[in-house]
Amino acid sequence: MAGRSKKKKNYNLINILFMKTLPLIFDAHLDLSMNALEWNRDLRWPVSEIRESEKGMDDKPDRAKGTVSFPSMRQGNVGICVATQIGRYVKPGSSLPGWKSQEQAWAQTQGQLAWYNAMEDAGEMVQIRTAADLEKHLNLWKSKPAAPPIGYILSLEGADSIISISHLEKAFKYGLRAIGPAHYGPGIYAHGTDSTGGIGVKGWQLLKEMDELGMILDATHLSDESFREALDTFHGPVWASHNNCRALVNHNRQFSDEQILELAERESVIGVALDAWMMVPGWVRGVSTPQNTGVSLKHMIDNIDHICQLTGNSLHAGIGSDLDGAFGTEQCPMDLDTIADLQKVPALLSEKGYNENDIENIMSGNFIRFLKENLPE
Ligand SMILES: [Zn+2]
C-alpha cells in the first residue's frame, strides 16, 4: 500500500511540474487551411513527415521548411488559435497574386471552411463560436486528455471574398468571428500593407454591419489611413492578430507607437508575429537568413516588451505567430524548429523580468479575456 501511494504522489508531482512547465498557448494567427489546400499539407502529420514529403519540391520557397502541424501544436500546448480563411481579389494588371472576381475568392474561402469542418469531423479541431464554447474548450485542455482537438476561432484575412452584406451574414452564421478588412495592397473594403488610402463607402458599410453582428475587427495589415478611418467608424472590439512594432522595424506593415497606444485604449490585444523580416531591420527576402542576421525569439520578446513598456502593463501583448504564413524555417527565429518551440518564450520573458502573472497574460490570458468579453454568449 505504502509503495502504491508513493508512486501516486510521484505521478502527481510529475503532473504538477508538467503543467508548470507547459502553460497554455493561444496563437492569434495561423493560416491552417491555406497550408492544407494551397501547400497540400495534411496537418495531422508530424512536421518531420510533412518536410520529408516535400523534399525536392521548389514551387514555393518554404517547401520542406514548415513548422506547424497538429502534433506539434499539441506538443507545445498550443491548444487554441485564431485560424484564417483567405482569398484575395485583384484588379487586372495587379502584380499581387489573387482571383479575378470576388465570387472566385468567396469560393476559395468556402473550400477552406470545408477543410476546417472536415478536421472537426475527424476530431482534430473544434470551432469556438461563443463564450460558452471557449469555457468548455479551456476546461477540456485543463483535463489533459491524450490528443485533444485544437480550438479555433475563425477569422478572415482580407475581406475581398465577402461579395455582399448577405455573404457577411452567412459567414457569421457558419462561425466567422473576426475580419481584417485588408491584406496586402488595395482591397475592396480597405487599403492594406504597402498601399495608401482609406476604407471608402464599401469599407464603411462592412464595418457598420460587423458592428451590428458583434464581430471583431482585426486591425492588422491596414494602411495608416484605413487604420484611422476603420477605428473611427467601428465601435466594437478591435484586436491585431499578428503585428509588430514600427519602432523596432520601420515599415508600414508595423504599428507606430501612437497606433499601439490607441489600440490599448480600445482594450485591444496585439499578437506578436514571427516572420523574420518584421523582427530585424533590413531583411532581404532570399538573401537574409536566420543565421546571418541572428534573428531569434529574443527579437519577439523585444516586440512584446515594447508593447508592454509603452502601455505600462502586460495586458495588451500576445502571440500571433503567423508561422507557415507562406514562410518556414528559412525566415523564422533560428531557435525555433516547430511551433512547439513557442514554449521557450516564458523563460525568455522571465529573464527579461516578467513575473508569472505577466507571462500567463502574454501566452494566452489576454486573448482569452478579450474573447470572453467579446464573443457572443
Ligand atoms: Zn498576414
Side-chain angles (χ1 to χ4, degrees), residues 224-301:
D224 286 352
E225 299 89 334
S226 286
F227 179 95
R228 172 75 278 118
E229 293 181 16
L231 264 69
D232 287 344
T233 305
F234 185 77
H235 301 295
V238 184
W239 71 22
S241 60
H242 58 305
N243 224 111
N244 290 356
C245 307
R246 207 172 286 184
L248 299 177
V249 174
N250 187 10
H251 189 279
N252 69 76
R253 165 79 178 82
Q254 317 266 87
F255 283 144
S256 69
D257 287 356
E258 293 72 27
Q259 288 173 322
I260 292 168
L261 286 168
E262 182 171 357
L263 287 168
E265 215 159 279
R266 295 277 291 252
E267 296 181 11
S268 185
V269 183
I270 300 166
V272 167
L274 287 174
D275 196 339
W277 81 263
M278 294 163 67
M279 301 165 78
V280 289
W283 182 277
V284 182
R285 216 170 281 259
V287 176
S288 302
T289 66
Q291 286 69 32
N292 70 23
T293 59
V295 65
S296 76
L297 289 168
K298 284 205 169 132
H299 293 89
M300 178 198 211
I301 304 299

Side-chain angles (χ1 to χ4, degrees), residues 41-58:
R41 290 173 171 166
D42 187 342
L43 299 184
R44 293 174 292 188
W45 297 8
V47 164
S48 57
E49 280 178 32
I50 296 174
R51 287 179 185 166
E52 191 59 40
S53 75
E54 294 181 357
K55 278 203 175 133
M57 293 173 77
D58 59 3

Side-chain angles (χ1 to χ4, degrees), residues 90-164:
V90 286
K91 284 187 179 151
S94 169
S95 60
L96 287 167
W99 295 105
K100 293 192 167 58
S101 71
Q102 278 184 280
E103 285 77 3
Q104 287 165 285
W106 169 259
Q108 166 110 343
T109 62
Q110 298 316 290
Q112 293 164 347
L113 175 68
W115 178 77
Y116 285 120
N117 289 337
M119 287 301 101
E120 289 192 60
D121 292 344
E124 296 282 341
M125 298 187 79
V126 61
Q127 196 187 47
I128 292 167
R129 298 173 176 224
T130 64
D133 292 345
L134 177 62
E135 202 63 57
K136 193 176 152 201
H137 183 68
L138 293 174
N139 285 333
L140 175 73
W141 272 70
K142 260 182 219 148
S143 73
K144 301 211 168 284
I150 310 285
Y152 75 103
I153 293 94
L154 188 64
S155 178
L156 180 64
E157 182 166 29
D160 294 350
S161 60
I162 300 293
I163 302 168
S164 70

Side-chain angles (χ1 to χ4, degrees), residues 29 31 157 183-184 220-221 242 253 322:
H29 193 85
D31 297 316
E157 182 166 29
H183 191 216
Y184 278 83
T220 306
H221 283 297
H242 58 305
R253 165 79 178 82
D322 200 12

